[in-house]
Amino acid sequence: MVYHIEELSNKNATDWKRVNEESKEGDFFHKLEWKRILEQSLNFKSHCFLLYRNDEPVALCPFYESSINGVRGLVSLPDSDYNHIIVTDQYDPLIAYHILEKCNEIARENKLSFILITTLRESIKDYFSKYNPLPYPIGGNMMLDLEKSGPDSIWSEVLSQRDRKHIRRFEKDGFKIKEINSIDHIKMFYKYYKANLESIDAAPHSFSHFEDLLRTYSSTEMILTLLYNNKIIAGGQLAFLHYPKKTVYLRYLSLNRDLPNRYRPTTYMRWNWIRRASEMGYSKICFGRTPPDPNDIHYQLKEKFGCHFEKEHSFIFPRSYLFKIGYNIYYTIYNFTKKYISR
């Protein structure tokens, strides 16, 4: 078997698209349009490549320069709900070897301090583990399978009486969901999106990022909504639509934090997307990245809709001795803090 690597280009873009569409692991965030968003809108420098075996692509490797605590490294798909490499043959250990060799070459040429690789497959995890990576916290997403539980069963068997009451309250008080695509409406959405993140000391994306999204994606690929009545805006939600995998991805929650406590806009907007996704013929909804802790409040709020946690496996390979020492100290503190808080 002969292996070779090609950097992603116009010449092999069709191979990238085909593998993403045909692979079980393919998704919205591995599409080339998202690559342009990461590069142009979020200013990530890309190093994407394909691994071929006998002229057939066997791995898609979407890597970008990103930082951990101010230290730059090579990271697979940063700022994305799904950030894994795609491997078509889970039984070939040489694939991991060739990917890591290419990543080391990129890191050396660009003076990067670490390599962070993520996979969804247990077998691929085992192949990378042989190269002695440092431990990395488990990550993943909460996913709802509408083929196992449709809106009717979720309403009657999964949602609590209290959640159903909160949903009915919006309907009783005249709230509606409206699709938006004008700049003025997006400014309203952004106002509450920005305030919501700042209230939890998180950094919001710039308004220009949402303008870029609007220019990049059609109404069949992205929908922005506002929840409102005649008097107030309760919040909003952005959804990416990936029909080849019949999956909806919920991102960029916009919330009016000044609403009375009697309202739970997040509950209503999520329920709206459960009904809507089912009506549109979608079978899965990704509720976004979530800590893998069943005691975490965000985990619990998504689990109450019937979501299950999809685990990913990440590996960090140090490229410098100083980074290795610093990271080990950081990881030790992280684990200690996690155990202390969980008590």
Side-chain angles (χ1 to χ4, degrees), residues 59-318:
L60 304 186
C61 303
F63 285 95
Y64 298 78
E65 293 184 25
S66 188
S67 299
I68 295 178
N69 294 336
V71 181
R72 292 192 68 74
L74 189 66
V75 177
S76 54
L77 271 179
D79 207 1
S80 307
D81 286 350
Y82 284 89
N83 53 8
H84 56 280
I85 60 173
I86 293 178
V87 176
T88 64
D89 184 353
Q90 61 179 313
Y91 302 109
D92 182 359
L94 286 176
I95 291 177
Y97 168 80
H98 288 290
I99 290 173
L100 190 54
E101 282 291 291
K102 178 61 177 178
C103 288
N104 275 314
E105 176 188 318
I106 295 170
R108 182 171 59 252
E109 291 176 353
N110 292 274
K111 297 180 173 58
L112 303 175
S113 297
F114 64 90
I115 300 164
L116 178 58
I117 301 177
T118 298
T119 179
L120 299 181
R121 298 193 184 213
E122 289 281 346
S123 57
I124 304 302
K125 177 198 76 170
D126 293 339
Y127 295 144
F128 277 107
S129 296
K130 296 177 181 178
Y131 298 98
N132 301 316
L134 298 177
Y136 193 80
I138 293 173
N141 290 280
M142 291 295 276
M143 180 69 75
L144 178 63
D145 190 339
L146 292 174
E147 292 183 343
K148 292 183 178 179
S149 298
D152 291 342
S153 62
I154 291 172
W155 179 265
S156 60
E157 301 171 16
V158 180
L159 287 174
S160 67
Q161 183 178 354
R162 183 180 181 185
D163 288 328
R164 294 196 295 267
K165 180 180 178 181
H166 285 309
I167 291 169
R168 290 193 183 104
R169 180 170 291 151
F170 279 97
E171 296 169 349
K172 180 182 177 181
D173 291 354
F175 280 87
K176 298 179 180 179
I177 294 283
K178 176 180 181 178
E179 288 188 28
I180 60 173
N181 53 28
S182 72
I183 291 298
D184 288 341
H185 282 141
I186 293 174
K187 285 179 179 178
M188 292 183 197
F189 175 95
Y190 185 78
K191 171 185 175 182
Y192 295 108
Y193 156 79
K194 184 172 182 287
N196 177 46
L197 285 184
E198 290 176 343
S199 71
I200 57 174
D201 296 322
H205 289 304
S206 66
F207 181 73
S208 63
H209 174 58
F210 291 87
E211 293 180 300
D212 289 339
L213 291 174
L214 195 63
R215 284 191 292 264
T216 301
Y217 297 109
S218 69
S219 59
T220 62
E221 300 168 303
M222 184 186 81
I223 295 177
L224 264 169
T225 56
L226 282 179
L227 173 61
Y228 74 104
N229 66 11
N230 291 330
K231 297 180 181 180
I232 53 177
I233 293 174
Q237 181 83 69
L238 184 148
F240 291 131
L241 312 177
H242 188 46
Y243 194 75
K245 298 300 171 66
K246 295 186 178 181
T247 303
V248 173
Y249 304 85
L250 302 182
R251 280 174 65 98
Y252 305 119
L253 185 64
S254 175
L255 285 179
N256 183 350
R257 290 279 180 172
D258 295 326
L259 281 177
N261 289 333
R262 62 195 296 266
Y263 290 119
R264 299 289 187 272
T266 305
T267 299
Y268 185 84
M269 289 187 289
R270 285 172 174 166
W271 170 245
N272 170 73
W273 265 111
I274 289 173
R275 290 187 303 179
R276 183 168 187 172
S278 179
E279 292 168 358
M280 295 171 67
Y282 286 80
S283 58
K284 293 182 179 181
I285 303 177
C286 176
F287 278 57
R289 298 191 67 78
T290 311
D293 180 6
N295 295 317
D296 179 85
I297 183 62
H298 300 290
Y299 188 109
Q300 294 173 350
L301 289 173
K302 297 171 184 178
E303 187 180 37
K304 71 180 181 180
F305 287 97
C307 293
H308 65 276
F309 184 75
E310 286 193 342
K311 183 172 64 173
E312 65 188 20
H313 309 284
S314 295
F315 319 89
I316 193 159
F317 298 91

